[in-house]
Amino acid sequence: MRCSVSSVPSESKPAAAASKPRILIADDSRIVRASLTQHIRDRFDIREVVDGEAAWQAILLDSAIRVVITDLAMPKVDGFELIGRVRSSKVQRVRELPVIVITSADETTERERASAAGATDFLDRGIGSAELTARLEVLVRLSSTREALQETQATLESSRTVDPETELLALAFFDKQVEKLVSYARRNLSDVALISVVVELTFNTPQQSDSEIDQRAKLVGRALAASIRLEDFGTRTDRLEFCVATQSTGLSGVLRFAARLRKVLENVDAAGPGVEVWTCIGVATLSEELRRGGEELRLLACKRAQQAQSSHTRRIILGAAEGVAVGAYEGRPDDGSMDINLALALIRAGRTPEVVPHLARLLEQISPLLKLVRQQRELQESGPEAAGNAKLQGVSR
């Protein structure tokens, strides 16, 4: 009669047993499981299951398993399918788990099939304790070393994602994140904007060392990092050059965002006391050319910011599809990209001439507010009695 010999949960085992490397034995034969356990129980923590499906669930849920020993002929899920699931898993820990197959020496066809599926090694049914223990220890060390390497790589990768000096994303990681943002935008028919900002620093003192310039640039980077939203990405692309990626809902939103970044960076405290910050901004969007990747968009935005710097303009340099001349945002009255918030941001940034062509549209937007202001003034001038009548008519003082 076949039966299951379940292992004691790891949390209820003695500390010595819990510290042993864990081996999963998957076999529907109680005799085979008992024989293997007797050989290795002094050196390893054993977990037993009676079919391939139970083995698969154990592998997924128990990250302490270092090696799997499996039979090929099992109910529910056989050994071949179990090996296939392990090797095709999207989880690296599972995918690289050593799997040893229990076979007989004359089962050549089964061995070849299991090897093709991804079996790590094979055990003859009559193997001795010393050989079995030695082979398992080798595989456990290999598994532990691989896991330690993965943790080290993950730690290094994590340390490279953020520049601790500016608190912005590292450039390589920024490009990866933008590429994901671009892929998402293509799938969902949305847009992505890259905003490049070239910074010029004007010091009150006549001479500055390179180290002081670098330090002030780091402060600007931190000001930028603190001003962008959690869903946006920012990086430092050069000594005095930064870039921000954001999902775009239209030109108006991008221009407002860029104007807000300019206001933040040109704040008197952005680079510390005694330094004035001047910004030159370029913008590139995915909608200009859908074939462009994230890095291409970043380079294009940087190119436009540098163009703004070389032409000494305060305008935000935009562009169109490749092959069309890149131009500056002129603030055309009929382009629908100007609203009150953007107008106020441009005025505060010293770009009043760009707002003037939009005055008619802006006046139309604020006309209800002006009407309410006039009503309130008329009520105040008419005295308390008129104000009370107006309140009865639904006009709050």
Side-chain angles (χ1 to χ4, degrees):
M1 180 177 65
R2 292 172 178 172
C3 62
S4 171
V5 182
S6 300
S7 62
V8 180
S10 58
E11 56 270 22
S12 63
K13 293 188 176 184
S19 64
K20 296 177 181 178
R22 183 166 299 169
I23 307 297
L24 175 66
I25 301 177
D27 198 305
D28 59 340
S29 169
R30 181 182 63 81
I31 297 175
V32 172
R33 296 197 309 272
S35 175
L36 291 171
T37 299
Q38 185 178 9
H39 286 318
I40 63 177
R41 63 187 177 188
D42 292 339
R43 305 291 293 273
F44 301 99
D45 177 28
I46 311 301
R47 179 169 180 174
E48 301 177 20
V49 292
V50 299
D51 59 66
E53 181 61 36
W56 175 241
Q57 294 301 320
I59 290 169
L60 291 178
L61 298 175
D62 191 350
S63 61
I65 294 173
R66 290 291 176 264
V67 179
V68 177
I69 301 176
T70 181
D71 188 22
L72 291 177
M74 292 186 295
K76 295 185 180 179
V77 172
D78 62 22
F80 299 109
E81 184 177 344
L82 176 62
I83 297 170
R85 289 186 184 184
V86 169
R87 295 295 175 247
S88 61
S89 173
K90 295 181 179 180
V91 180
Q92 188 174 5
R93 172 187 67 82
V94 174
R95 189 171 60 249
E96 296 180 348
L97 196 63
V99 180
I100 300 178
V101 175
I102 306 170
T103 62
S104 299
D106 57 348
E107 296 176 340
T108 306
T109 304
E110 288 78 3
R111 287 194 177 211
E112 291 178 352
R113 183 181 171 192
S115 179
T120 307
D121 200 357
F122 298 90
L123 293 179
D124 292 330
R125 298 185 188 278
I127 191 171
S129 298
E131 182 182 354
L132 176 57
T133 301
R135 289 164 71 174
L136 285 175
E137 286 182 342
V138 170
L139 290 175
V140 165
R141 284 197 297 270
L142 176 64
S143 179
S144 299
T145 301
R146 183 184 293 120
E147 185 175 287
L149 178 61
Q150 291 170 4
E151 291 178 357
T152 301
Q153 290 174 336
T155 302
L156 290 174
E157 185 66 26
S158 176
S159 66
R160 296 190 189 107
T161 58
V162 177
D163 176 9
E165 295 182 335
T166 63
E167 299 180 355
L168 294 167
L169 295 182
L171 182 57
F173 186 70
F174 173 85
D175 283 339
K176 289 181 181 179
Q177 296 302 107
V178 173
E179 199 60 51
K180 293 178 183 178
L181 196 62
V182 166
S183 298
Y184 175 84
R186 289 197 185 105
R187 291 194 304 269
N188 293 274
L189 301 178
S190 56
D191 201 3
V192 175
L194 276 293
I195 303 171
S196 179
V197 182
V198 174
V199 173
E200 295 180 351
L201 303 178
T202 303
F203 289 80
N204 293 341
T205 54
Q207 291 184 342
Q208 299 80 37
S209 64
D210 289 342
S211 61
E212 184 178 0
I213 294 175
D214 287 337
Q215 186 61 35
R216 297 306 181 100
K218 293 171 187 176
L219 292 176
V220 173
R222 292 197 174 197
L224 179 64
S227 68
I228 61 177
R229 303 170 301 180
L230 291 177
E231 60 267 32
D232 299 326
F233 308 119
T235 189
R236 185 182 183 183
T237 53
D238 205 347
R239 187 186 190 190
L240 293 170
E241 185 178 83
F242 303 89
C243 191
V244 174
T246 182
Q247 289 183 310
S248 171
T249 56
L251 180 61
S252 176
V254 174
L255 291 174
R256 285 198 301 270
F257 189 19
R260 183 170 68 84
L261 292 180
R262 167 169 279 162
K263 179 183 177 182
V264 168
L265 298 184
E266 293 186 354
N267 183 284
V268 67
D269 297 324
V275 180
E276 181 182 351
V277 179
W278 180 276
T279 57
C280 305
I281 300 178
V283 175
T285 60
L286 178 63
S287 58
E288 295 179 44
E289 176 53 71
L290 293 176
R291 291 176 296 179
R292 285 198 177 98
E295 185 176 359
E296 290 180 284
L297 289 174
R298 174 175 62 79
L299 294 174
L300 182 58
C302 291
K303 179 181 178 181
R304 291 171 179 171
Q306 291 164 4
Q307 179 183 347
Q309 182 184 32
S310 62
S311 59
H312 304 289
T313 179
R314 297 281 290 165
R315 292 172 178 168
I316 299 172
I317 302 297
L318 307 172
E322 192 170 348
V324 179
V326 177
Y329 171 60
E330 299 290 350
R332 296 183 298 276
D334 59 345
D335 66 2
S337 62
M338 182 67 69
D339 60 19
I340 295 299
N341 292 329
L342 177 57
L344 293 175
L346 291 173
I347 292 171
R348 286 192 292 266
R351 297 171 59 179
T352 303
E354 296 179 39
V355 180
V356 172
H358 296 269
L359 290 179
R361 176 185 293 274
L362 293 171
L363 185 60
E364 181 181 348
Q365 292 178 22
I366 66 171
S367 60
L369 178 61
L370 295 177
K371 182 178 180 181
L372 179 60
V373 171
R374 286 196 299 268
Q375 289 177 346
Q376 294 301 305
R377 287 182 175 175
E378 291 172 357
L379 289 174
Q380 291 175 357
E381 292 172 356
S382 300
E385 183 178 355
N389 294 335
K391 189 171 184 180
L392 292 175
Q393 296 174 10
V395 181
S396 172
R397 187 173 182 184

